[in-house]
């Protein structure tokens, strides 16, 4: 009985390793095939609404949240890491590029906070002083909606700040931290904690958010609604009955009706977090190898000015 259990256990381990290896090596073929046959999954961008285009949409939906896509990204990370370990200069270049990207996106998206404040002030004036039920914005083509529509739209600005500034805030050291042991351990031990955290927490959470968010998005864009359990052939069969059905339902009769934008932001949020998990892992590895003198190397942090150093990273 014990021997049978041992054989079963090692058989399961062997099966998993074979599945892992076959998917990793298969990722090269899948990526090459996707790049050389874009018409199979990108034809829908032509908006001709043919049966072939509808099948292309379904392939795009399937592969965006598929095991194949996961292993393409995972294998690309492994290959990139192998080159980066061989060349520290190359790894530092990746870190600086990804951190620079996070800072640029975050600094631009942060202006949405100002737009949110200005729009709220306009709403108050229009409602309390001018007693207008609607508002219009635009040059040439105006966007005219009920005041309640613009009031609910403020949540979109807030979502933009949250989703696009998450990695920027991480680079700046602005996230809230609960420190139990981190501050008291050595420099190299901290870097080990950071590397483990990026691999076991940041990346898996970003992948899970993407997997759930991807189908959550498309279930509110097309019908028949795709499911995460649908296989490719089943989705392609559904293509004949497919039509666009973009969600435009608000929480109130005249309220904001573009909630599908929040679902797109959720996908972009997951992508940004995953990319920055790579940057954080590489930075932690380099600071572990090079020692304390490399801590904060090439780090582009905002400053509040001379004499305000104590408040930096907490704003």
């Amino acid at each position: 009985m014990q021997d049978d259990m041992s054989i079963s256990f090692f058989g399961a381990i062997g099966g998993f390793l074979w599945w892992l290896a076959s998917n990793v090596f298969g990722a090269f073929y899948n990526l090459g095939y996707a790049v050389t046959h874009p018409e199979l999954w990108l034809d829908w961008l032509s908006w001709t609404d043919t049966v072939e285009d509808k099948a292309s949409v379904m392939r795009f939906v399937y592969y965006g949240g598929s095991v194949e896509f996961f292993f393409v990204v995972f294998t690309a990370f492994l290959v990139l890491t192998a080159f980066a370990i061989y060349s520290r200069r190359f790894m530092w270049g990746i870190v600086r590029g990804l951190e620079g990207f996070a800072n640029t996106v975050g600094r631009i998206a942060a202006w949405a906070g100002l737009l949110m404040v200005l729009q709220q002030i306009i709403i108050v004036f229009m409602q309390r002083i001018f007693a207008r039920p609607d508002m219009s914005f635009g040059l040439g083509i105006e966007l005219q909606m009920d005041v309640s529509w613009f009031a609910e739209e403020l949540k979109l600005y807030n979502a933009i700040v949250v989703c696009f500034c998450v990695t920027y805030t991480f680079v700046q050291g602005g996230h809230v931290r609960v420190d139990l042991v981190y501050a008291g351990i050595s420099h190299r031990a901290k870097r080990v904690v950071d590397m483990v955290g990026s691999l076991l927490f940041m990346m898996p959470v970003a992948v899970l958010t993407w997997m759930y968010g991807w189908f959550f998005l498309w279930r509110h864009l097309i019908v028949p609604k795709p499911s995460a359990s649908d296989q490719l052939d089943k989705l392609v069969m559904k293509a004949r009955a497919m039509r666009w059905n973009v969600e435009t339902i608000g929480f109130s009769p005249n309220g904001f009706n573009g909630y599908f934008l929040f679902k797109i932001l959720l996908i972009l949020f997951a992508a940004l977090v995953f990319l920055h998990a790579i940057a954080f892992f590489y930075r932690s590895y380099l600071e572990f190898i090079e020692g304390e003198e490399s801590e904060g190397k090439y780090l582009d942090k905002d400053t509040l000015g001379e004499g305000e150093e104590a408040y930096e990273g907490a704003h």
Side-chain angles (χ1 to χ4, degrees), residues 13-305:
I13 295 295
F16 170 75
L17 292 177
W18 172 252
W19 173 81
L20 182 65
S22 60
N23 277 286
V24 168
F25 286 106
F28 294 98
Y29 170 79
N30 291 331
L31 178 61
Y33 192 84
V35 171
T36 54
H37 297 78
E39 69 279 359
L40 293 178
W41 55 283
L42 285 181
D43 262 5
W44 61 280
L45 295 176
S46 62
W47 302 98
T48 54
D49 202 32
T50 62
V51 175
E52 291 78 10
D53 288 351
K54 292 178 179 180
S56 176
V57 173
M58 289 304 191
R59 291 190 188 94
F60 187 82
V61 172
Y62 170 79
Y63 284 116
S66 66
V67 174
E68 291 88 344
F69 178 66
F70 169 79
F71 274 100
V72 166
V73 176
F74 177 68
T75 305
F77 170 67
L78 293 180
V79 172
L80 188 67
T81 302
F83 279 108
I85 290 176
Y86 176 76
S87 172
R88 290 188 199 172
R89 184 178 179 182
F90 177 63
M91 186 178 285
W92 273 121
I94 295 174
V95 172
R96 296 178 69 182
L98 291 176
E99 289 183 348
F101 176 71
N103 279 335
T104 302
V105 171
R107 285 165 180 160
I108 294 173
W111 287 98
L114 177 61
L115 292 177
M116 181 167 55
V117 173
L118 294 176
Q119 186 166 309
Q120 180 63 75
I121 293 172
I122 295 172
I123 289 171
V124 172
F125 269 80
M126 295 299 290
Q127 283 185 319
R128 303 303 178 186
I129 297 178
F130 299 104
R132 289 285 303 175
D134 57 4
M135 294 167 50
S136 61
F137 288 97
L139 297 173
I141 301 176
E142 292 184 349
L143 175 65
Q144 184 170 2
M145 293 290 182
D146 193 88
V147 171
S148 61
W149 190 93
F150 287 101
E152 287 189 19
E153 190 211 6
L154 296 174
K155 293 184 286 187
L156 179 63
Y157 296 132
N158 190 45
I160 289 173
V161 171
V162 171
C163 293
F164 287 150
C165 295
V166 59
T167 51
Y168 162 65
T169 307
F170 194 100
V171 173
Q172 301 300 320
H175 283 297
V176 176
R177 298 185 180 185
V178 179
D179 185 7
L180 299 177
V181 297
Y182 190 84
I185 59 180
S186 66
H187 168 80
R188 292 185 183 276
K190 288 178 181 178
R191 301 293 83 80
V192 171
V193 171
D194 291 339
M195 284 188 285
V196 171
S198 61
L199 292 178
L200 297 186
F201 292 99
M202 287 182 71
M203 284 187 179
V205 168
V207 169
L208 287 174
T209 304
W210 176 281
M211 293 292 188
Y212 282 97
W214 180 259
F215 288 99
F216 183 57
L217 165 65
W218 283 97
R219 284 174 63 84
H220 294 86
L221 293 180
I222 61 174
V223 289
K225 294 184 177 182
S227 172
S229 60
D230 288 343
Q231 296 300 312
L232 178 60
D233 54 351
K234 185 176 181 180
L235 285 174
V236 172
M237 287 179 61
K238 288 182 179 180
R240 292 184 177 274
M242 191 220 94
R243 72 179 188 276
W244 290 97
N245 187 36
V246 179
E247 178 190 44
T248 55
I249 299 174
F251 287 116
S252 59
N254 296 319
F256 183 69
N257 57 357
Y259 282 96
F260 68 94
L261 297 173
F262 290 85
K263 301 172 180 64
I264 296 175
L265 287 174
L266 179 63
I267 296 298
L268 296 176
F269 166 84
L272 285 173
V273 171
F274 185 86
L275 287 175
H276 194 68
I278 297 174
F280 189 54
F281 174 74
Y282 287 172
R283 172 172 284 281
S284 302
Y285 171 80
L286 288 165
E287 291 183 358
F288 176 85
I289 295 296
E290 297 181 2
E292 293 187 34
E293 63 275 6
S294 68
E295 186 173 357
K297 186 176 179 181
Y298 301 125
L299 191 60
D300 179 19
K301 296 187 68 172
D302 295 337
T303 178
L304 297 177

